[in-house]
Amino acid sequence: MAKQVFILVGTRKGAFILESDAARRSWEVRGPFCETWPTNHVVADPASGIIYAGGGNEWFGPAVWKSTDFGASWTHSSQGLAYEAGQAPVKAVWSLAAGGDGSLYAGVEPAGLFRSLDGGESWAHLDGLQKHPTRPEWNPGGAGLILHSLVLDPTDDGRIWIGISAAGVFATQDGGASWETRNRGTRADFMPEGQNYPEFGQCVHCLVMAPGGGERLYQQNHCGMYRSDDGGRAWESIETGLPSSFGFPAAAHPRDPDSLYLIPLNGDIKGRFMPEGNTAVWRTRDAGRSWQAMRAGLPQGGAYFNVLRQAMATDTMEPAGVYFGTNAGGLYASIDEGESWDCVAPHLPTITSVETLVIER
């Protein structure tokens, strides 16, 4: 059997799939899928190889698309993707995650969490998050009040971490029945002086878990970059050495818990593009104590694009591949852990998410 590598891409005009062999030297681009619906997140269940795509908007409504044949055919369902009567309607699905117990989770806008036990055919609202005492005071970020980060504990099906803009990080240890805030140590610079470290209200941009089975999390925030070694109960700033404290995506190395990739932008009110128009992916190999700018093969000069919160990922190959997509539609790949880069698809629609799947067949 031979390994195949897939890059799963969500865009404003449907999902795309790129496919390569283990060498990852050339890529076949397929799509757009999902009838060109706005697609916020495309993921795969690594156990089954089933691909799911979540998206929609206030015009289309929310839906999760499903392909059991690596993108050759698709179905979709929105059954149960709705709040109880009298609540604001669900506009779109923003994030998806497949659990080890066969469950599938969806984060939506306005922020809430749904679970499917039948492969995305039907959904049930996990209303414990809506019952959190801080819920009446949540405020939307620039893209709305969205649950965009879903982190499942691979060793415990009951433990989930989520990121909401702009409410912060929350965690559950009982499968979503109850939740607690996990924001201690993260700033909210947009709050009044003296209130910059609130219990909730931070504008988290991306939340990822380090490999290895521990409690290490990394976070890219509107106001800094952070690491937690205790499941988010306390956060430590790791932005020293980076060109700014603002950016969107984060991607963890598949095997090394000390390695992380970030793409800082030039600032939240300065255009939100590559600093000085020069593209770089910043890599740490010591858990954020120091950083290195990886630029080889990336556009230098005149690069005024940005990279959205879910648009960077790694694969599980050796050496690990690193991938990111831009709001200008360029998809970039590194097959040597960020040392060098190639543009593998230059003209896709605005890229909203990038994930990977490695299989043998």
Side-chain angles (χ1 to χ4, degrees):
M1 299 180 72
K3 286 190 175 181
Q4 288 182 287
V5 183
F6 297 86
I7 311 174
L8 312 175
V9 183
T11 81
R12 296 280 170 80
K13 298 180 181 180
F16 290 79
I17 297 176
L18 284 76
E19 183 176 349
S20 184
D21 58 17
R24 299 168 291 174
R25 296 289 182 183
S26 62
W27 297 88
E28 175 192 0
V29 182
R30 294 185 285 121
F33 301 118
C34 307
E35 297 180 7
T36 67
W37 275 40
T39 305
N40 293 319
H41 202 197
V42 185
V43 304
D45 181 346
S48 65
I50 296 174
I51 298 172
Y52 297 97
N57 58 22
E58 58 266 37
W59 304 109
F60 288 91
V64 174
W65 296 75
K66 176 181 179 179
S67 176
T68 60
D69 51 16
F70 304 103
S73 61
W74 296 80
T75 59
H76 73 89
S77 175
S78 59
Q79 182 181 340
L81 280 172
Y83 289 133
E84 292 72 15
Q87 296 191 39
V90 175
K91 293 182 180 180
V93 173
W94 272 86
S95 54
L96 295 168
D101 60 352
S103 57
L104 182 67
Y105 293 87
V108 304
E109 177 192 7
L113 185 62
F114 288 76
R115 181 176 62 197
S116 173
L117 299 177
D118 55 10
E121 298 298 323
S122 63
W123 297 87
H125 179 211
L126 300 180
D127 64 358
L129 187 61
Q130 303 295 313
K131 296 176 181 177
H132 194 274
T134 65
R135 177 62 184 89
E137 299 177 67
W138 293 359
N139 290 306
L145 186 63
I146 57 175
L147 197 165
H148 52 69
S149 290
L150 263 173
V151 176
L152 309 185
D153 188 331
T155 65
D156 185 344
D157 295 329
R159 295 214 304 171
I160 305 170
W161 293 262
I162 60 170
I164 299 173
S165 294
V169 173
F170 294 77
T172 180
Q173 299 188 79
D174 54 17
S178 63
W179 296 82
E180 61 181 56
T181 56
R182 296 280 179 93
N183 299 298
R184 185 160 63 89
T186 55
R187 303 191 310 275
D189 293 338
F190 43 82
M191 300 287 282
E193 187 175 351
Q195 302 177 36
N196 302 119
Y197 289 88
E199 177 192 356
F200 68 96
Q202 288 86 343
C203 190
V204 55
H205 283 176
C206 185
L207 181 70
V208 297
M209 173 173 274
E215 287 198 313
R216 175 170 289 176
L217 300 170
Y218 291 103
Q219 178 185 160
Q220 169 78 298
N221 196 288
H222 190 106
C223 306
M225 293 74 164
Y226 301 92
R227 185 189 75 242
S228 173
D229 295 324
D230 58 4
R233 294 174 182 85
W235 294 90
E236 176 183 349
S237 172
I238 57 171
E239 63 201 65
T240 299
L242 293 171
S244 84
S245 60
F246 179 87
F248 287 102
H253 190 279
R255 290 172 292 277
D256 179 8
D258 289 340
S259 291
L260 179 74
Y261 299 87
L262 296 178
I263 303 181
L265 301 178
N266 68 332
D268 60 341
I269 59 173
K270 297 181 180 179
R272 302 188 178 193
F273 52 74
M274 294 293 159
E276 299 180 348
N278 298 319
T279 312
V281 175
W282 291 76
R283 182 182 69 192
T284 181
R285 285 181 163 167
D286 54 13
R289 296 173 182 86
S290 64
W291 295 92
Q292 180 183 7
M294 318 303 291
R295 301 183 187 273
L298 294 175
Q300 302 301 300
Y304 298 108
F305 50 70
N306 66 27
V307 179
L308 300 177
R309 70 181 79 246
Q310 292 167 290
M312 182 165 61
T314 58
D315 67 26
T316 58
M317 299 291 284
E318 178 64 58
V322 189
Y323 310 89
F324 72 90
T326 76
N327 69 331
L331 180 66
Y332 294 85
S334 170
I335 60 173
D336 53 14
E337 306 202 349
E339 295 290 336
S340 61
W341 298 85
D342 290 295
C343 184
V344 296
H347 302 304
L348 298 178
T350 295
I351 294 173
T352 52
S353 74
V354 175
E355 300 286 358
T356 64
L357 171 67
V358 177
I359 63 168
E360 292 189 6
R361 66 173 184 176

